[in-house]
Amino acid sequence: MATKKTDFDIDFIGNQEPLTEAEEKALNDYFKKKKDSPLNLQPAKLHKLSKKSKATV
């Protein structure tokens, strides 16, 4: 069964007023903290697929 996909015509999220100084600082601090978190310092684990041997008949 196919799912319906709704396309929205969205140009912006929220209102069109600029951010206040406090909001801008809060966002900057959040992204800096998220970037420097120890979870981002570990390399991503890659799943290696084992090579399947071809069956000979």
Side-chain angles (χ1 to χ4, degrees), residues 5-57:
K5 185 175 181 181
T6 306
D7 292 330
F8 295 106
D9 186 22
I10 299 175
D11 293 335
F12 60 90
I13 297 173
N15 56 12
Q16 293 182 339
E17 297 173 7
L19 295 175
T20 63
E21 295 277 333
E23 291 171 333
E24 192 171 331
K25 183 171 178 7
L27 285 173
N28 287 336
D29 292 342
Y30 170 77
F31 287 117
K32 186 182 288 188
K33 183 179 175 184
K34 187 173 179 180
K35 181 179 175 183
D36 294 338
S37 74
L39 296 176
N40 290 338
L41 298 177
Q42 298 173 356
K45 294 181 181 178
L46 300 177
H47 296 284
K48 293 185 179 181
L49 298 175
S50 61
K51 293 182 180 179
K52 296 181 180 179
S53 61
K54 294 182 180 178
T56 57
V57 179

